[in-house]
Amino acid sequence: MVLNRNSKQDLEDFKSYILVEKNFSEHTAKAYYSDILSYLIWLDEEACEGVNFTKVREYLHFMQKFNYKKTTVARKIASIRTFYKYLHRERKVENNPAENLISPKRPKSLPKFLTPHEIEQILSNINIDTPAGYRNRAILELLWASGMRVSELSGLNFGNLNLENNEITVFGKGAKERIILITDRAKTYLQGYIDYARSMIAKGYNLGPITDTTPVFINKTGFRLQTRMIRNVINDITEKLELPKKVTPHMFRHSFATHLIENGADLRVVQELLGHASISNTQIYTHISMQHMKEVYEETHPRA
């Protein structure tokens, strides 16, 4: 199959749009790109700009033969809808043919989280005797203390730091700016990393002067530490501990929110700290707390 030349260019422009303007994470942008590429391959030489609702719905019927999970189908529909929304914004199509597509209902599942004991177990098993180890401890301390996304942490520059007030400015989804708070312990590790470990991580490389746009977390060659490497760091640490859970960077975010609410934090405050556009996204953590309370009650109450 051959991609239509104009469609191929639309795809590349769309990729730049979701990465730069929409500020999608690399992981999400890669998934959306792959979804649209599959769709364009199915269209073959037909231009995506001339497609109507009936044609898009034909593609959904075609996808059924692959028995995708509902979550995967929902994401693919979201990808196509976003793609055509972009084309409409660029005035390449008169309307969005995917706008009225109905996504399958996603099964409701509660996010997995770590207990404070499990988090302390992970943190205490990081070897901080090496520059990279100290950096990794600072990273995980920040994730646990702030609830920031791993993409937000990777994107931190020195201009985002206000350590005197225990504040960090991050740019979340849609390039929305918010201020997050960090604990004194997280600040101590972050300051130690900046003062001592950071320059030794890229030993032999000229890092140049630190400016507001200089990345905070770097790899061994002095470039910005990417989200994939942060995931690898967490995998390496947790696999040695043989925890019963598959630990991801996002679990630190879930754990942060869950434990704040369990300890009486106002839902609106947690919403602001997480950068959720809607409080309905934050309310899921009250469900996690209730589930956890029931488990503790059943385990500890003599009549339960």
Side-chain angles (χ1 to χ4, degrees):
M1 292 185 176
V2 180
L3 286 184
N4 178 279
R5 186 174 62 181
N6 290 338
S7 297
K8 187 176 181 181
Q9 186 59 53
D10 286 338
L11 175 59
E12 295 305 318
D13 293 341
F14 175 68
K15 183 180 179 182
S16 298
Y17 164 72
I18 59 177
L19 278 171
V20 178
E21 291 192 43
K22 299 293 288 183
N23 199 30
F24 281 17
S25 69
E26 291 180 16
H27 177 75
T28 302
K30 185 177 180 180
Y32 272 49
Y33 181 90
S34 177
D35 291 340
I36 301 304
L37 179 60
S38 298
Y39 168 63
L40 296 181
I41 289 174
W42 177 80
L43 285 176
D44 200 3
E45 294 185 358
E46 183 174 354
C48 63
E49 297 174 5
V51 165
N52 58 21
F53 174 75
T54 302
K55 189 69 176 182
V56 177
R57 195 167 57 179
E58 275 182 38
Y59 179 64
L60 296 188
H61 289 308
F62 167 77
M63 283 198 299
Q64 289 178 357
K65 68 171 67 177
F66 299 103
N67 295 319
Y68 289 125
K69 294 179 180 178
K70 287 183 178 180
T71 52
T72 303
V73 174
R75 191 203 66 222
K76 287 179 177 294
I77 290 175
S79 299
I80 296 172
R81 191 181 288 126
T82 304
F83 177 60
Y84 277 110
K85 187 176 180 180
Y86 161 73
L87 293 181
H88 183 255
R89 193 197 77 157
E90 296 297 307
R91 298 183 179 180
K92 293 187 175 183
V93 296
E94 290 186 8
N95 50 55
N96 185 344
E99 188 174 7
N100 295 322
L101 290 178
I102 299 174
S103 297
K105 290 186 178 180
R106 303 188 187 194
K108 291 184 179 180
S109 59
L110 297 178
K112 295 178 181 178
F113 66 96
L114 297 160
T115 66
H117 172 73
E118 288 171 332
I119 290 176
E120 292 302 329
Q121 188 180 0
I122 292 170
L123 294 174
S124 62
N125 276 277
I126 301 174
N127 179 12
I128 60 174
D129 293 333
T130 66
Y134 200 96
R135 176 202 63 196
N136 297 343
R137 177 68 185 261
I139 285 172
L140 267 64
E141 288 282 357
L142 274 181
L143 289 177
W144 167 227
S146 68
M148 74 173 77
R149 300 177 179 91
V150 66
S151 58
E152 294 169 346
L153 185 140
S154 171
L156 286 181
N157 296 326
F158 276 88
N160 302 131
L161 306 182
N162 181 3
L163 296 187
E164 184 178 346
N165 293 324
N166 290 50
E167 296 176 357
I168 297 177
T169 301
V170 298
F171 294 88
K173 291 183 177 180
K176 291 180 180 177
E177 178 182 317
R178 76 180 188 281
I179 295 176
I180 60 172
L181 308 176
I182 62 172
T183 61
D184 286 337
R185 189 173 83 171
K187 180 176 75 170
T188 298
Y189 275 102
L190 178 56
Q191 192 68 64
Y193 158 74
I194 292 170
D195 292 342
Y196 308 110
R198 186 177 182 275
S199 60
M200 292 189 286
I201 285 176
K203 199 170 183 180
Y205 289 85
N206 182 16
L207 298 180
I210 291 177
T211 67
D212 283 350
T213 58
T214 301
V216 175
F217 292 106
I218 57 173
N219 58 26
K220 61 183 180 181
T221 58
F223 289 98
R224 186 184 301 278
L225 193 68
Q226 299 299 315
T227 56
R228 178 175 54 83
M229 292 303 299
I230 298 173
R231 291 188 178 94
N232 290 343
V233 164
I234 294 175
N235 288 339
D236 291 342
I237 295 167
T238 54
E239 283 177 5
K240 293 175 184 176
L241 294 176
E242 296 182 351
L243 292 174
K245 302 173 182 176
K246 171 66 176 176
V247 181
T248 66
H250 220 64
M251 283 181 74
F252 284 81
R253 180 171 165 86
H254 294 322
S255 306
F256 164 81
T258 302
H259 299 310
L260 280 184
I261 290 173
E262 281 184 341
N263 286 289
D266 181 85
L267 201 59
R268 291 287 182 186
V269 173
V270 178
Q271 177 191 2
E272 288 295 323
L273 291 172
L274 292 176
H276 283 161
S278 169
I279 199 166
S280 62
N281 295 328
T282 315
Q283 285 174 329
I284 191 169
Y285 296 108
T286 63
H287 300 152
I288 297 175
S289 280
M290 183 58 69
Q291 183 186 49
H292 183 58
M293 269 198 302
K294 286 180 179 178
E295 290 172 357
V296 172
Y297 177 82
E298 290 171 358
E299 288 176 6
T300 58
H301 196 285
R303 299 285 185 183

